[in-house]
Amino acid sequence: MEQRLSVVTLGVSDLSRARQFYEDGLGWQRANAHEEVVFYDLNGFVLALYPRTSLAADAKVDPDGSGFSGITLAFNARSREEVDVVLKEAEAAGAEVVKTAEEVFWGGYSGYFADPDGHLWEVAHNPFWTIDADGRVLLGE
């Protein structure tokens, strides 16, 4: 298997509400016109929104998960100030800030928000990584 990630799919309880959060709230642009699934082009991979019950049925698992799923998504900012701005934008769009930004043990600065379906997003500035003009993270040594 090649070392890469193609798609992250979030199971959502209300597809219309999720679209409104990501598009109207965060300002993202949809990359498809299908009614049953939403795709966003994210610098080399895709974020998909799909109804939670349909996603669970596709995977043949129970849709009634609860609590922490063990997965977070992350947005790496170019500065500490951008972390604060992004957390405020997410909150204004309807997200719950679950951890205000703070200096963290590994030398960076980060906080977390939960989207309307509870999916956790870390917003972080890592001074050891570079973010190119297209938003791609370049890992440092």
Side-chain angles (χ1 to χ4, degrees):
M1 180 176 173
E2 293 178 42
Q3 183 173 311
R4 62 182 169 88
L5 179 66
S6 302
V7 180
V8 172
T9 303
L10 301 180
V12 299
S13 60
D14 182 329
L15 189 59
S16 178
R17 180 189 70 183
R19 279 192 60 206
Q20 182 177 4
F21 173 76
Y22 284 96
E23 294 171 22
D24 298 338
L26 298 184
W28 290 15
Q29 294 182 355
R30 187 176 182 176
N32 71 316
H34 301 84
E35 291 298 319
E36 68 279 359
V37 63
V38 177
F39 296 125
Y40 300 102
D41 183 354
L42 301 180
N43 303 92
F45 75 95
V46 174
L47 178 70
L49 305 177
Y50 194 53
R52 184 181 180 97
T53 54
S54 299
L55 184 59
D58 186 53
K60 299 185 180 187
V61 297
D62 188 340
D64 295 325
S66 65
F68 178 57
S69 67
I71 296 173
T72 63
L73 304 169
F75 175 90
N76 279 76
R78 290 179 173 87
S79 68
R80 292 170 54 108
E81 295 77 21
E82 187 181 11
V83 170
D84 294 329
V85 168
V86 170
L87 286 171
K88 285 177 185 168
E89 288 175 345
E91 186 173 35
E96 175 189 358
V97 175
V98 296
K99 177 189 158 196
T100 57
E102 62 183 33
E103 292 184 24
V104 289
F105 71 94
W106 46 266
Y109 181 73
S110 79
Y112 283 83
F113 71 82
D115 76 5
D117 284 282
H119 300 290
L120 291 175
W121 281 82
E122 179 184 23
V123 182
H125 173 247
N126 184 335
F128 310 107
W129 289 357
T130 301
I131 301 174
D132 73 11
D134 292 326
R136 290 181 181 85
V137 171
L138 307 174
L139 298 177
E141 290 286 318

